[in-house]
Amino acid sequence: MGCEEPAAVDRGRYPDAVTPWEDEEWRETALAWAEREAAAHGLRAAGRRTVRLRPWSVLVRIPVGERGAVWFKAAPPGGAFEAGLAEALADWFPGRGLRPVAVLPERGWSLTPDGGPLFRDALDRGVAGVPDWEEMLRQYARMQRALIPFAGRMDALGVPDGRVAALPETFDRLVDENAALEGADRRELRRLRPRLARWCAELADTGIPDSLDHSDLHDGQSFVPEPGRFLFFDWGDAVISHPFCSFLVAARAARARYGTGVLPRLRDAYLEPWTGTGPTDTELRRALTLAWRLGAIGRACSWGRLFPGACGGAGPPGEEEGARWLRELLTEPPV
């Protein structure tokens, strides 16, 4: 290998999570692939690796000398589509998705270059603010609108189907199968079901087609390689669904920084690229309110995309988080 394995590994809030990294043969094979692909692109591994392990990914930073670093990522089977999707997005919409150095879709492996400063870091340093949130959302919405014709190709890549028409049945399955839901919550959610079906029908009637929903878009999921330009990455939670569902997580992240008063500005910035598509401004705002609520279904689904056995004997992976998102369906959106 080009560099020594680090003595310490970052496991975050999941010290007991089980990932493929624990398997020495897997680890050696993965790192050999990453360094071989890096070398094929003139990038020689040289320096100390750093490793981040989560129940949903293995992420390894591999220094490559003056060229900075490349990042190896392994996704679980439920998110294996991410590698091929990232590569496709760089072709379909150049300049908005980070182009991988190499991908191995059958294993859910990707190797990507460093994308530059994180948007979150720029916010923390005070060199970015609310106007940058607005611009980030505009650029992301333009990307979503441009991707509408590619929904069939995303199906072929294995991106999960969360289309609006299927959301009531997905909701039924999640509520029935999630063992972390208390009885009272389950009953309340089942009573919500007729309203949820009407929300889906109303959202579909606005005429905005399903597209790519990142499903976890926030300030830590975009790079700012230069002022005013954003690169989006980390598509492991993505789903084909109503594009407006993406606003949920981004708005919650901004609200945590600036308070609820920022939401109308972000809403209007996100909706700006959708004007002229048929619905009136009032209808677009109503659709965003519906999608805020329904986006919780995609978030609940994504917590099922963990490595098999990731939580050991602590129960089915992700069920507590999935239950938390299902309960969000019971709350009124703040926009």
Side-chain angles (χ1 to χ4, degrees):
M1 295 294 173
C3 49
E4 293 297 321
E5 181 182 341
V9 172
D10 172 17
R11 295 179 180 270
R13 296 184 293 114
Y14 306 92
D16 299 322
V18 179
T19 71
W21 184 260
E22 329 306 332
D23 183 327
E24 183 178 358
E25 182 179 356
W26 182 96
R27 185 168 65 244
E28 291 181 355
T29 300
L31 293 175
W33 175 83
E35 294 189 5
R36 185 168 60 249
E37 292 294 339
H41 290 81
L43 303 169
R44 181 179 176 276
R48 185 181 179 88
R49 303 186 196 98
T50 55
V51 183
R52 194 187 78 167
L53 304 180
R54 300 294 186 267
W56 55 85
S57 68
V58 172
L59 188 65
V60 184
R61 182 184 185 275
I62 303 173
V64 288
E66 295 181 357
R67 303 283 292 277
V70 291
W71 298 81
F72 166 80
K73 183 175 182 179
F81 65 86
E82 182 184 0
L85 176 63
E87 184 175 54
L89 289 174
D91 290 331
W92 298 339
F93 205 74
R96 287 290 172 260
L98 187 63
R99 180 178 294 279
V101 174
V103 298
L104 193 61
E106 61 269 28
R107 299 200 69 165
W109 292 357
S110 61
L111 187 69
T112 58
D114 193 295
L118 276 178
F119 183 34
R120 176 176 293 166
D121 293 341
L123 291 166
D124 290 344
R125 295 197 311 272
V127 297
V130 174
D132 301 281
W133 274 97
E134 295 174 299
E135 182 58 24
M136 184 270 279
L137 288 168
R138 286 190 199 97
Q139 292 183 20
Y140 175 72
R142 292 187 196 112
M143 180 181 184
Q144 287 184 296
R145 187 172 174 183
L147 288 172
I148 288 171
F150 294 90
R153 298 196 200 181
M154 289 186 271
D155 277 321
L157 289 170
V159 180
D161 184 356
R163 290 173 171 83
V164 174
L167 287 181
E169 287 70 29
T170 301
F171 168 81
D172 291 340
R173 175 179 59 79
L174 291 170
V175 172
D176 288 345
E177 295 179 358
N178 191 298
L181 282 173
E182 299 290 340
D185 289 334
R186 197 185 310 277
R187 289 190 295 272
E188 194 170 357
L189 285 165
R190 285 173 175 158
R191 284 195 295 269
L192 182 72
R193 211 284 191 178
R195 292 178 64 199
L196 184 139
R198 291 195 294 271
W199 296 335
C200 291
E202 184 181 351
L203 188 58
D205 285 346
T206 61
I208 302 291
D210 293 307
S211 182
L212 185 63
D213 169 18
H214 185 290
S215 194
D216 195 26
L217 181 70
H218 53 71
D219 48 340
Q221 306 285 40
S222 61
F223 295 113
V224 190
E226 58 190 62
R229 186 165 78 90
F230 295 87
L231 280 175
F232 304 104
F233 71 102
D234 201 354
W235 299 94
D237 291 338
V239 64
I240 303 167
S241 190
H242 196 284
F244 292 9
C245 291
S246 289
F247 187 71
L248 168 64
V249 174
R252 284 166 58 101
R255 181 178 63 179
R257 276 185 184 268
Y258 304 111
T260 302
V262 76
L263 296 182
R265 288 182 59 176
L266 300 188
R267 174 199 61 197
D268 292 347
Y270 175 77
L271 291 177
E272 184 180 309
W274 300 100
T275 58
T277 57
T280 66
D281 289 349
T282 299
E283 289 168 337
L284 286 172
R285 289 179 177 183
R286 170 62 178 167
L288 193 74
T289 298
L290 294 168
W292 175 295
R293 205 158 199 169
L294 294 170
I297 298 176
R299 295 299 302 134
C301 284
S302 70
W303 277 96
R305 299 179 209 165
L306 307 184
F307 288 114
C311 295
E319 287 208 335
E320 288 290 349
E321 290 289 346
R324 181 174 66 83
W325 279 105
L326 288 172
R327 287 191 289 269
E328 283 291 316
L329 287 160
L330 301 169
T331 65
E332 291 290 335
V335 293

